[in-house]
Amino acid sequence: LINDSPRPIKMSFYIPDIKVTLSEGLFMVKYDNNARLAPTSSKAWKQKYVVVEGIISKEYKISMYRSKAEYIIAAMATFANRPVPVKVKQFSIPSNSRIMQDKYNPVQTKMYKNEREPWKYITVIRKDNMLPIKISSTNADELNLVHEGIRRILKTTQKGP
């Protein structure tokens, strides 16, 4: 039908009135120990593509992929009803979780030797003997997007269904 139509074609699109907030990006993360503060060395962090409640995640979860390309591969596999062929690390954010020092200054700073600028990070403290999740970036604006995404989860889970 479109192929046979005279050119130029007038098209109209429906744009739903939905607020979309992207809470994702490439960050340095640390999730494998009990420490609430940043590691003493920048080498202790792992680089991951972090997605807070993405389009293929379950509710109240933070998903981590090795790269954005792997996130796209996982999304395409999910929408095609195929098994996800990439490694995905998922963390639940239970209702009794919190962001460390969220009321005062949740974004902590750590200056590492041989780094040009300080690393900013947030710590998600999960209850019930779950290890804390630290997410870091040198870009405060990118980190704030993830921080706001985690705050949305906490507001929703703490209100109840």
Side-chain angles (χ1 to χ4, degrees):
L1 185 69
I2 292 178
N3 289 340
D4 300 331
S5 299
R7 303 287 190 243
I9 299 175
K10 270 191 172 180
M11 299 179 84
S12 57
F13 296 92
Y14 171 71
I15 301 172
D17 188 24
I18 298 173
K19 184 179 179 187
V20 177
T21 306
L22 293 179
S23 300
E24 61 185 61
L26 196 59
F27 296 93
M28 302 302 283
V29 299
K30 185 76 175 152
Y31 48 77
D32 57 359
N33 67 20
N34 271 332
R36 293 180 177 187
L37 298 177
T40 55
S41 168
S42 62
K43 291 181 170 94
W45 295 90
K46 295 178 183 177
Q47 188 176 42
K48 298 283 183 188
Y49 190 78
V50 177
V51 181
V52 179
E53 282 194 318
I55 58 172
I56 60 172
S57 294
K58 293 188 170 116
E59 279 189 317
Y60 318 132
K61 296 227 182 243
I62 297 175
S63 302
M64 297 183 189
Y65 304 83
R66 287 184 271 210
S67 66
K68 184 174 184 175
E70 287 200 358
Y71 172 59
I72 292 169
I73 290 168
M76 291 188 324
T78 300
F79 288 121
N81 291 323
R82 295 189 321 248
V84 176
V86 296
K87 184 178 177 182
V88 181
K89 205 73 173 136
Q90 284 195 327
F91 299 93
S92 63
I93 307 298
S95 62
N96 55 356
S97 300
R98 64 184 177 88
I99 297 171
M100 190 166 102
Q101 296 185 353
D102 200 22
K103 290 182 181 174
Y104 307 104
N105 184 18
V107 178
Q108 305 294 308
T109 303
K110 176 76 174 178
M111 187 66 196
Y112 288 110
K113 188 177 182 180
N114 299 327
E115 294 289 334
R116 292 180 192 207
E117 49 191 300
W119 289 27
K120 291 131 186 95
Y121 71 96
I122 59 171
T123 304
V124 180
I125 300 170
R126 302 179 306 149
K127 303 292 184 187
D128 304 325
N129 295 325
M130 297 173 146
L131 297 175
I133 303 167
K134 293 172 282 300
I135 303 171
S136 175
S137 176
T138 55
N139 185 325
D141 292 336
E142 288 178 3
L143 187 59
N144 282 335
L145 291 174
V146 168
H147 176 235
E148 289 303 317
I150 295 168
R151 275 182 139 177
R152 273 193 315 276
I153 291 175
L154 293 175
K155 281 182 186 175
T156 304
T157 59
Q158 289 168 357
K159 282 182 186 174

PDB file of all heavy atoms in Angstrom, residues 51-79:
ATOM      1  N   VAL A  51      20.657  -0.792  34.020  1.00  0.00           N
ATOM      2  CA  VAL A  51      19.298  -0.420  33.628  1.00  0.00           C
ATOM      3  C   VAL A  51      18.388  -0.580  34.843  1.00  0.00           C
ATOM      4  O   VAL A  51      18.326  -1.651  35.431  1.00  0.00           O
ATOM      5  CB  VAL A  51      18.782  -1.311  32.471  1.00  0.00           C
ATOM      6  CG1 VAL A  51      17.381  -0.898  32.065  1.00  0.00           C
ATOM      7  CG2 VAL A  51      19.727  -1.269  31.289  1.00  0.00           C
ATOM      8  N   VAL A  52      17.716   0.511  35.201  1.00  0.00           N
ATOM      9  CA  VAL A  52      16.786   0.472  36.331  1.00  0.00           C
ATOM     10  C   VAL A  52      15.384   0.281  35.765  1.00  0.00           C
ATOM     11  O   VAL A  52      14.877   1.129  35.041  1.00  0.00           O
ATOM     12  CB  VAL A  52      16.860   1.774  37.161  1.00  0.00           C
ATOM     13  CG1 VAL A  52      15.885   1.727  38.317  1.00  0.00           C
ATOM     14  CG2 VAL A  52      18.278   2.001  37.663  1.00  0.00           C
ATOM     15  N   GLU A  53      14.778  -0.865  36.069  1.00  0.00           N
ATOM     16  CA  GLU A  53      13.421  -1.208  35.598  1.00  0.00           C
ATOM     17  C   GLU A  53      13.270  -0.974  34.099  1.00  0.00           C
ATOM     18  O   GLU A  53      12.370  -0.281  33.654  1.00  0.00           O
ATOM     19  CB  GLU A  53      12.363  -0.395  36.348  1.00  0.00           C
ATOM     20  CG  GLU A  53      12.065  -0.897  37.720  1.00  0.00           C
ATOM     21  CD  GLU A  53      10.797  -0.292  38.286  1.00  0.00           C
ATOM     22  OE1 GLU A  53      10.558   0.913  38.124  1.00  0.00           O
ATOM     23  OE2 GLU A  53      10.033  -1.041  38.912  1.00  0.00           O
ATOM     24  N   GLY A  54      14.106  -1.557  33.300  1.00  0.00           N
ATOM     25  CA  GLY A  54      14.033  -1.377  31.853  1.00  0.00           C
ATOM     26  C   GLY A  54      12.837  -2.078  31.243  1.00  0.00           C
ATOM     27  O   GLY A  54      12.038  -2.721  31.935  1.00  0.00           O
ATOM     28  N   ILE A  55      12.727  -1.979  29.923  1.00  0.00           N
ATOM     29  CA  ILE A  55      11.562  -2.538  29.227  1.00  0.00           C
ATOM     30  C   ILE A  55      11.508  -4.055  29.282  1.00  0.00           C
ATOM     31  O   ILE A  55      10.459  -4.637  29.066  1.00  0.00           O
ATOM     32  CB  ILE A  55      11.500  -2.051  27.763  1.00  0.00           C
ATOM     33  CG1 ILE A  55      12.770  -2.431  27.017  1.00  0.00           C
ATOM     34  CG2 ILE A  55      11.247  -0.572  27.696  1.00  0.00           C
ATOM     35  CD1 ILE A  55      12.710  -2.168  25.534  1.00  0.00           C
ATOM     36  N   ILE A  56      12.641  -4.699  29.571  1.00  0.00           N
ATOM     37  CA  ILE A  56      12.619  -6.165  29.642  1.00  0.00           C
ATOM     38  C   ILE A  56      12.862  -6.680  31.056  1.00  0.00           C
ATOM     39  O   ILE A  56      12.975  -7.874  31.266  1.00  0.00           O
ATOM     40  CB  ILE A  56      13.637  -6.794  28.662  1.00  0.00           C
ATOM     41  CG1 ILE A  56      15.056  -6.334  28.970  1.00  0.00           C
ATOM     42  CG2 ILE A  56      13.258  -6.495  27.236  1.00  0.00           C
ATOM     43  CD1 ILE A  56      16.125  -7.061  28.178  1.00  0.00           C
ATOM     44  N   SER A  57      12.932  -5.774  32.022  1.00  0.00           N
ATOM     45  CA  SER A  57      13.166  -6.184  33.412  1.00  0.00           C
ATOM     46  C   SER A  57      11.850  -6.385  34.146  1.00  0.00           C
ATOM     47  O   SER A  57      10.834  -5.824  33.777  1.00  0.00           O
ATOM     48  CB  SER A  57      13.954  -5.107  34.159  1.00  0.00           C
ATOM     49  OG  SER A  57      15.232  -4.989  33.646  1.00  0.00           O
ATOM     50  N   LYS A  58      11.934  -7.152  35.189  1.00  0.00           N
ATOM     51  CA  LYS A  58      10.788  -7.265  36.081  1.00  0.00           C
ATOM     52  C   LYS A  58      10.757  -6.012  36.952  1.00  0.00           C
ATOM     53  O   LYS A  58      11.736  -5.294  37.073  1.00  0.00           O
ATOM     54  CB  LYS A  58      10.933  -8.516  36.936  1.00  0.00           C
ATOM     55  CG  LYS A  58      10.826  -9.786  36.114  1.00  0.00           C
ATOM     56  CD  LYS A  58      10.772 -10.994  37.003  1.00  0.00           C
ATOM     57  CE  LYS A  58      10.411 -12.194  36.176  1.00  0.00           C
ATOM     58  NZ  LYS A  58      11.393 -13.198  36.094  1.00  0.00           N
ATOM     59  N   GLU A  59       9.602  -5.774  37.556  1.00  0.00           N
ATOM     60  CA  GLU A  59       9.453  -4.599  38.419  1.00  0.00           C
ATOM     61  C   GLU A  59      10.431  -4.651  39.585  1.00  0.00           C
ATOM     62  O   GLU A  59      10.752  -5.724  40.089  1.00  0.00           O
ATOM     63  CB  GLU A  59       8.037  -4.535  38.985  1.00  0.00           C
ATOM     64  CG  GLU A  59       7.037  -3.945  38.037  1.00  0.00           C
ATOM     65  CD  GLU A  59       5.715  -3.700  38.735  1.00  0.00           C
ATOM     66  OE1 GLU A  59       5.282  -4.587  39.494  1.00  0.00           O
ATOM     67  OE2 GLU A  59       5.144  -2.631  38.504  1.00  0.00           O
ATOM     68  N   TYR A  60      10.854  -3.483  40.000  1.00  0.00           N
ATOM     69  CA  TYR A  60      11.694  -3.295  41.177  1.00  0.00           C
ATOM     70  C   TYR A  60      13.045  -3.999  41.061  1.00  0.00           C
ATOM     71  O   TYR A  60      13.561  -4.527  42.032  1.00  0.00           O
ATOM     72  CB  TYR A  60      10.967  -3.752  42.455  1.00  0.00           C
ATOM     73  CG  TYR A  60       9.525  -3.347  42.517  1.00  0.00           C
ATOM     74  CD1 TYR A  60       8.539  -4.253  42.859  1.00  0.00           C
ATOM     75  CD2 TYR A  60       9.135  -2.041  42.206  1.00  0.00           C
ATOM     76  CE1 TYR A  60       7.209  -3.876  42.913  1.00  0.00           C
ATOM     77  CE2 TYR A  60       7.807  -1.664  42.258  1.00  0.00           C
ATOM     78  CZ  TYR A  60       6.848  -2.582  42.609  1.00  0.00           C
ATOM     79  OH  TYR A  60       5.529  -2.203  42.655  1.00  0.00           O
ATOM     80  N   LYS A  61      13.604  -3.983  39.866  1.00  0.00           N
ATOM     81  CA  LYS A  61      14.894  -4.641  39.648  1.00  0.00           C
ATOM     82  C   LYS A  61      15.879  -3.693  38.973  1.00  0.00           C
ATOM     83  O   LYS A  61      15.501  -2.845  38.173  1.00  0.00           O
ATOM     84  CB  LYS A  61      14.736  -5.876  38.774  1.00  0.00           C
ATOM     85  CG  LYS A  61      13.892  -6.956  39.411  1.00  0.00           C
ATOM     86  CD  LYS A  61      14.551  -8.286  39.286  1.00  0.00           C
ATOM     87  CE  LYS A  61      13.675  -9.364  39.874  1.00  0.00           C
ATOM     88  NZ  LYS A  61      14.260 -10.016  40.977  1.00  0.00           N
ATOM     89  N   ILE A  62      17.136  -3.880  39.317  1.00  0.00           N
ATOM     90  CA  ILE A  62      18.240  -3.235  38.614  1.00  0.00           C
ATOM     91  C   ILE A  62      18.921  -4.345  37.824  1.00  0.00           C
ATOM     92  O   ILE A  62      19.299  -5.377  38.394  1.00  0.00           O
ATOM     93  CB  ILE A  62      19.244  -2.605  39.597  1.00  0.00           C
ATOM     94  CG1 ILE A  62      18.588  -1.499  40.414  1.00  0.00           C
ATOM     95  CG2 ILE A  62      20.453  -2.055  38.846  1.00  0.00           C
ATOM     96  CD1 ILE A  62      19.482  -0.914  41.497  1.00  0.00           C
ATOM     97  N   SER A  63      19.058  -4.149  36.518  1.00  0.00           N
ATOM     98  CA  SER A  63      19.715  -5.140  35.667  1.00  0.00           C
ATOM     99  C   SER A  63      21.063  -4.594  35.211  1.00  0.00           C
ATOM    100  O   SER A  63      21.193  -3.395  34.962  1.00  0.00           O
ATOM    101  CB  SER A  63      18.860  -5.451  34.435  1.00  0.00           C
ATOM    102  OG  SER A  63      17.599  -5.922  34.831  1.00  0.00           O
ATOM    103  N   MET A  64      22.038  -5.482  35.095  1.00  0.00           N
ATOM    104  CA  MET A  64      23.371  -5.085  34.659  1.00  0.00           C
ATOM    105  C   MET A  64      23.832  -6.007  33.539  1.00  0.00           C
ATOM    106  O   MET A  64      23.722  -7.223  33.641  1.00  0.00           O
ATOM    107  CB  MET A  64      24.353  -5.128  35.823  1.00  0.00           C
ATOM    108  CG  MET A  64      24.005  -4.159  36.921  1.00  0.00           C
ATOM    109  SD  MET A  64      25.232  -4.172  38.219  1.00  0.00           S
ATOM    110  CE  MET A  64      24.418  -3.158  39.448  1.00  0.00           C
ATOM    111  N   TYR A  65      24.340  -5.380  32.483  1.00  0.00           N
ATOM    112  CA  TYR A  65      24.827  -6.084  31.305  1.00  0.00           C
ATOM    113  C   TYR A  65      26.289  -5.686  31.075  1.00  0.00           C
ATOM    114  O   TYR A  65      26.729  -4.647  31.564  1.00  0.00           O
ATOM    115  CB  TYR A  65      24.000  -5.691  30.070  1.00  0.00           C
ATOM    116  CG  TYR A  65      22.523  -5.935  30.240  1.00  0.00           C
ATOM    117  CD1 TYR A  65      21.707  -5.007  30.881  1.00  0.00           C
ATOM    118  CD2 TYR A  65      21.935  -7.104  29.778  1.00  0.00           C
ATOM    119  CE1 TYR A  65      20.352  -5.230  31.059  1.00  0.00           C
ATOM    120  CE2 TYR A  65      20.570  -7.332  29.950  1.00  0.00           C
ATOM    121  CZ  TYR A  65      19.796  -6.390  30.587  1.00  0.00           C
ATOM    122  OH  TYR A  65      18.456  -6.613  30.759  1.00  0.00           O
ATOM    123  N   ARG A  66      27.009  -6.481  30.302  1.00  0.00           N
ATOM    124  CA  ARG A  66      28.408  -6.135  30.027  1.00  0.00           C
ATOM    125  C   ARG A  66      28.544  -4.898  29.147  1.00  0.00           C
ATOM    126  O   ARG A  66      29.542  -4.202  29.213  1.00  0.00           O
ATOM    127  CB  ARG A  66      29.135  -7.318  29.397  1.00  0.00           C
ATOM    128  CG  ARG A  66      29.411  -8.413  30.413  1.00  0.00           C
ATOM    129  CD  ARG A  66      30.196  -9.513  29.805  1.00  0.00           C
ATOM    130  NE  ARG A  66      29.252 -10.468  29.241  1.00  0.00           N
ATOM    131  CZ  ARG A  66      29.466 -11.754  29.140  1.00  0.00           C
ATOM    132  NH1 ARG A  66      30.614 -12.264  29.513  1.00  0.00           N
ATOM    133  NH2 ARG A  66      28.550 -12.551  28.639  1.00  0.00           N
ATOM    134  N   SER A  67      27.525  -4.612  28.325  1.00  0.00           N
ATOM    135  CA  SER A  67      27.578  -3.450  27.433  1.00  0.00           C
ATOM    136  C   SER A  67      26.163  -3.106  26.978  1.00  0.00           C
ATOM    137  O   SER A  67      25.233  -3.892  27.172  1.00  0.00           O
ATOM    138  CB  SER A  67      28.448  -3.754  26.211  1.00  0.00           C
ATOM    139  OG  SER A  67      27.838  -4.767  25.428  1.00  0.00           O
ATOM    140  N   LYS A  68      26.031  -1.954  26.337  1.00  0.00           N
ATOM    141  CA  LYS A  68      24.723  -1.565  25.793  1.00  0.00           C
ATOM    142  C   LYS A  68      24.337  -2.513  24.657  1.00  0.00           C
ATOM    143  O   LYS A  68      23.167  -2.848  24.489  1.00  0.00           O
ATOM    144  CB  LYS A  68      24.754  -0.124  25.293  1.00  0.00           C
ATOM    145  CG  LYS A  68      23.395   0.338  24.812  1.00  0.00           C
ATOM    146  CD  LYS A  68      23.373   1.800  24.456  1.00  0.00           C
ATOM    147  CE  LYS A  68      21.954   2.224  24.080  1.00  0.00           C
ATOM    148  NZ  LYS A  68      21.856   3.658  23.837  1.00  0.00           N
ATOM    149  N   ALA A  69      25.329  -2.958  23.895  1.00  0.00           N
ATOM    150  CA  ALA A  69      25.057  -3.900  22.800  1.00  0.00           C
ATOM    151  C   ALA A  69      24.430  -5.190  23.344  1.00  0.00           C
ATOM    152  O   ALA A  69      23.484  -5.716  22.751  1.00  0.00           O
ATOM    153  CB  ALA A  69      26.341  -4.205  22.038  1.00  0.00           C
ATOM    154  N   GLU A  70      24.924  -5.675  24.478  1.00  0.00           N
ATOM    155  CA  GLU A  70      24.337  -6.883  25.069  1.00  0.00           C
ATOM    156  C   GLU A  70      22.931  -6.625  25.596  1.00  0.00           C
ATOM    157  O   GLU A  70      22.085  -7.507  25.555  1.00  0.00           O
ATOM    158  CB  GLU A  70      25.246  -7.447  26.162  1.00  0.00           C
ATOM    159  CG  GLU A  70      26.482  -8.102  25.589  1.00  0.00           C
ATOM    160  CD  GLU A  70      27.156  -9.058  26.546  1.00  0.00           C
ATOM    161  OE1 GLU A  70      26.695  -9.216  27.695  1.00  0.00           O
ATOM    162  OE2 GLU A  70      28.157  -9.662  26.122  1.00  0.00           O
ATOM    163  N   TYR A  71      22.673  -5.416  26.076  1.00  0.00           N
ATOM    164  CA  TYR A  71      21.324  -5.055  26.502  1.00  0.00           C
ATOM    165  C   TYR A  71      20.374  -5.095  25.307  1.00  0.00           C
ATOM    166  O   TYR A  71      19.264  -5.626  25.396  1.00  0.00           O
ATOM    167  CB  TYR A  71      21.330  -3.666  27.154  1.00  0.00           C
ATOM    168  CG  TYR A  71      19.957  -3.111  27.463  1.00  0.00           C
ATOM    169  CD1 TYR A  71      19.077  -3.779  28.301  1.00  0.00           C
ATOM    170  CD2 TYR A  71      19.540  -1.904  26.915  1.00  0.00           C
ATOM    171  CE1 TYR A  71      17.820  -3.266  28.589  1.00  0.00           C
ATOM    172  CE2 TYR A  71      18.291  -1.374  27.198  1.00  0.00           C
ATOM    173  CZ  TYR A  71      17.436  -2.065  28.037  1.00  0.00           C
ATOM    174  OH  TYR A  71      16.206  -1.553  28.316  1.00  0.00           O
ATOM    175  N   ILE A  72      20.808  -4.566  24.176  1.00  0.00           N
ATOM    176  CA  ILE A  72      19.981  -4.581  22.964  1.00  0.00           C
ATOM    177  C   ILE A  72      19.739  -6.010  22.496  1.00  0.00           C
ATOM    178  O   ILE A  72      18.616  -6.366  22.120  1.00  0.00           O
ATOM    179  CB  ILE A  72      20.632  -3.705  21.869  1.00  0.00           C
ATOM    180  CG1 ILE A  72      20.579  -2.237  22.305  1.00  0.00           C
ATOM    181  CG2 ILE A  72      19.950  -3.905  20.528  1.00  0.00           C
ATOM    182  CD1 ILE A  72      21.415  -1.303  21.456  1.00  0.00           C
ATOM    183  N   ILE A  73      20.774  -6.847  22.554  1.00  0.00           N
ATOM    184  CA  ILE A  73      20.625  -8.261  22.179  1.00  0.00           C
ATOM    185  C   ILE A  73      19.601  -8.937  23.095  1.00  0.00           C
ATOM    186  O   ILE A  73      18.730  -9.679  22.639  1.00  0.00           O
ATOM    187  CB  ILE A  73      21.989  -8.988  22.238  1.00  0.00           C
ATOM    188  CG1 ILE A  73      22.891  -8.497  21.105  1.00  0.00           C
ATOM    189  CG2 ILE A  73      21.811 -10.503  22.188  1.00  0.00           C
ATOM    190  CD1 ILE A  73      24.339  -8.928  21.241  1.00  0.00           C
ATOM    191  N   ALA A  74      19.687  -8.652  24.403  1.00  0.00           N
ATOM    192  CA  ALA A  74      18.740  -9.243  25.360  1.00  0.00           C
ATOM    193  C   ALA A  74      17.320  -8.765  25.074  1.00  0.00           C
ATOM    194  O   ALA A  74      16.372  -9.555  25.131  1.00  0.00           O
ATOM    195  CB  ALA A  74      19.150  -8.879  26.786  1.00  0.00           C
ATOM    196  N   ALA A  75      17.164  -7.484  24.752  1.00  0.00           N
ATOM    197  CA  ALA A  75      15.830  -6.944  24.457  1.00  0.00           C
ATOM    198  C   ALA A  75      15.254  -7.592  23.203  1.00  0.00           C
ATOM    199  O   ALA A  75      14.078  -7.989  23.187  1.00  0.00           O
ATOM    200  CB  ALA A  75      15.909  -5.429  24.290  1.00  0.00           C
ATOM    201  N   MET A  76      16.059  -7.714  22.157  1.00  0.00           N
ATOM    202  CA  MET A  76      15.568  -8.327  20.909  1.00  0.00           C
ATOM    203  C   MET A  76      15.186  -9.784  21.141  1.00  0.00           C
ATOM    204  O   MET A  76      14.165 -10.250  20.633  1.00  0.00           O
ATOM    205  CB  MET A  76      16.619  -8.191  19.806  1.00  0.00           C
ATOM    206  CG  MET A  76      16.786  -6.759  19.352  1.00  0.00           C
ATOM    207  SD  MET A  76      17.823  -6.461  17.900  1.00  0.00           S
ATOM    208  CE  MET A  76      19.112  -7.631  17.989  1.00  0.00           C
ATOM    209  N   ALA A  77      15.988 -10.511  21.908  1.00  0.00           N
ATOM    210  CA  ALA A  77      15.670 -11.915  22.193  1.00  0.00           C
ATOM    211  C   ALA A  77      14.381 -12.023  23.013  1.00  0.00           C
ATOM    212  O   ALA A  77      13.546 -12.888  22.747  1.00  0.00           O
ATOM    213  CB  ALA A  77      16.828 -12.567  22.931  1.00  0.00           C
ATOM    214  N   THR A  78      14.207 -11.135  23.977  1.00  0.00           N
ATOM    215  CA  THR A  78      13.008 -11.164  24.815  1.00  0.00           C
ATOM    216  C   THR A  78      11.755 -10.909  23.991  1.00  0.00           C
ATOM    217  O   THR A  78      10.757 -11.623  24.122  1.00  0.00           O
ATOM    218  CB  THR A  78      13.118 -10.117  25.950  1.00  0.00           C
ATOM    219  OG1 THR A  78      14.265 -10.428  26.738  1.00  0.00           O
ATOM    220  CG2 THR A  78      11.881 -10.129  26.828  1.00  0.00           C
ATOM    221  N   PHE A  79      11.801  -9.887  23.122  1.00  0.00           N
ATOM    222  CA  PHE A  79      10.621  -9.566  22.312  1.00  0.00           C
ATOM    223  C   PHE A  79      10.348 -10.617  21.241  1.00  0.00           C
ATOM    224  O   PHE A  79       9.218 -10.746  20.771  1.00  0.00           O
ATOM    225  CB  PHE A  79      10.757  -8.179  21.686  1.00  0.00           C
ATOM    226  CG  PHE A  79      10.614  -7.079  22.698  1.00  0.00           C
ATOM    227  CD1 PHE A  79      11.620  -6.158  22.903  1.00  0.00           C
ATOM    228  CD2 PHE A  79       9.468  -6.973  23.470  1.00  0.00           C
ATOM    229  CE1 PHE A  79      11.493  -5.150  23.852  1.00  0.00           C
ATOM    230  CE2 PHE A  79       9.326  -5.974  24.421  1.00  0.00           C
ATOM    231  CZ  PHE A  79      10.345  -5.065  24.606  1.00  0.00           C
TER     232      PHE A  79
END
